[in-house]
Amino acid sequence: YVLAQRFRKKALEFYRLFELDNDGYSFISALTLGYKHDLTNELQEAFRASGTSHVLAVSGLHVGIIYAIFAFLFSFLGKTGKRFVLQQILIIIALWFYAFLAGLSPSVLRATIMLTIASIGFAAGKKGFTYNTLAAAAFLLLAHNPYNLFDVGFQMSFTAVLAILYFNPLLNKLYRPRKKAKKYVWNLFTVSTAAQIGVFPIALHYFGTFPTYFFVANMLIVPMIGIIIYTCIPVIITVLAKQSGLAVFGWLFAVFGWVLKALINFVLQIVYFIESFPYSQFTDGYVSAVQMFLLLIIVVSVFRFFHNKQLKKGS
C-alpha cells in the first residue's frame, strides 16, 4: 500500500501539468485516482446533496470505463482462440496497474477483482457478472482484511452492486424502449435507481441524509464522467509529447486541455445547480441498525410484490 501511495503521489504531481484550476484539479484527482483530500467542503457537499458523490470515489463505474478503454486498445487481438486469452490477460494486467495507481482502496479492489474474475470467465467462454462474481470479490477482500466488513465504503459499494444485480433486471422489465437513445436514458435511470434503492437505508443509518434529485443528477453527470475520463487520455499523451519541444504538441495540448477544462466546469456547474434546488437533500433522518435492516427487508418485499403483480397482469 505504501508503494501504491507513492505512485499515486507521482501521478498527482503529473496532473499539475494539466494546468487546471483548484476545483478542476481536485475533481480530476478524485475522479481518476480516488484522491479527495484537495476537494473543498463546498464541492463535496454539492456532490453529496445532488446524489453524485459516488463519482468522486473510484469504484465500479470508473474501473468499468478503464476496462472498456483497455478492451478497445487490445481489440485487435480478436475475440476467439489464444489471441483472445492473451487479450484478457493484458486487460487484467492493465486493470491491476490502474488499481495500484489509484491507491488500492477497497472500492477499487472490489471492482478490479470482479472484472478480473469476469475476464477469466470470458477467456474460458463464460460471460456476464453474477452474484457469484460479487461474492468472490467480497470473500477475497475479507480474507485479506476482515475489518473491511465494518468499513462504510465497503458496505455501500457492495450493497450498491448487489442492488443493481437484483433490482436492475426487474426495473428493465417494466419498460422496454426500442430506440437506442431512449434505451440508453432508461438504462441510466434504472441503474441509478437500483443502486440508490439498495444504499439509501445504509446512508440514512450512517449519515441521516438522502438526495432528493439523485435520478436527475445521475442521468446528467454519469455520461459526462466517461467522456471526461476518455478526454484525459489525449491530454496525458500531449503533455508527455510536448516535452519534445515540437509546437504541434503544444497546440494539441492547448486544444485538449481546453476541452477537458470545459467538460469539468460543465459538470461542476450542474452539481452546484442541482444542489441549489429546494429540498435537494433529506437530512436528519438517522435510523438505527435494526431499522436499517427492516427498511432493506421492506424495500425488497414491496418491490417484489408490485413486480409480481405486474407480471400477473401481463400474463
Side-chain angles (χ1 to χ4, degrees), residues 1-2 31 39 159 241 304:
Y1 286 108
V2 174
L31 179 67
L39 291 168
T159 303
R304 290 300 303 182

Side-chain angles (χ1 to χ4, degrees), residues 11-160:
L12 291 168
E13 292 172 357
F14 178 75
Y15 278 3
R16 291 291 184 187
L17 300 177
F18 289 8
E19 300 177 6
L20 300 169
D21 59 23
N22 290 335
D23 276 351
Y25 171 79
S26 62
F27 173 73
I28 205 70
S29 298
L31 179 67
T32 59
L33 298 176
Y35 185 82
K36 297 189 285 187
H37 296 286
D38 291 329
L39 291 168
T40 62
N41 292 332
E42 293 78 10
L43 189 57
Q44 292 190 63
E45 180 57 31
F47 274 93
R48 191 177 299 113
S50 64
T52 56
S53 59
H54 60 91
V55 305
L56 298 177
V58 177
S59 59
L61 171 65
H62 311 73
V63 180
I65 292 171
I66 299 299
Y67 176 91
I69 292 172
F70 287 122
F72 173 75
L73 292 175
F74 298 130
S75 61
F76 67 91
L77 291 171
K79 297 182 179 181
T80 58
K82 293 181 179 179
R83 290 165 65 89
F84 179 70
V85 174
L86 175 61
Q87 178 197 92
Q88 296 304 310
I89 292 173
L90 291 174
I91 289 173
I92 290 171
I93 293 171
L95 283 176
W96 279 100
F97 175 77
Y98 173 72
F100 188 78
L101 198 62
L104 296 175
S105 67
S107 60
V108 174
L109 285 173
R110 186 264 304 164
T112 305
I113 290 172
M114 282 191 68
L115 286 168
T116 298
I117 295 171
S119 291
I120 294 171
F122 293 150
K126 309 293 183 181
K127 60 181 180 179
F129 297 95
T130 65
Y131 294 108
N132 288 338
T133 308
L134 181 64
F139 173 79
L140 291 172
L141 282 175
L142 291 174
H144 172 68
N145 182 9
Y147 289 103
N148 278 330
L149 184 62
F150 306 101
D151 180 76
V152 179
F154 178 90
Q155 293 174 14
M156 296 189 71
S157 178
F158 273 90
T159 303

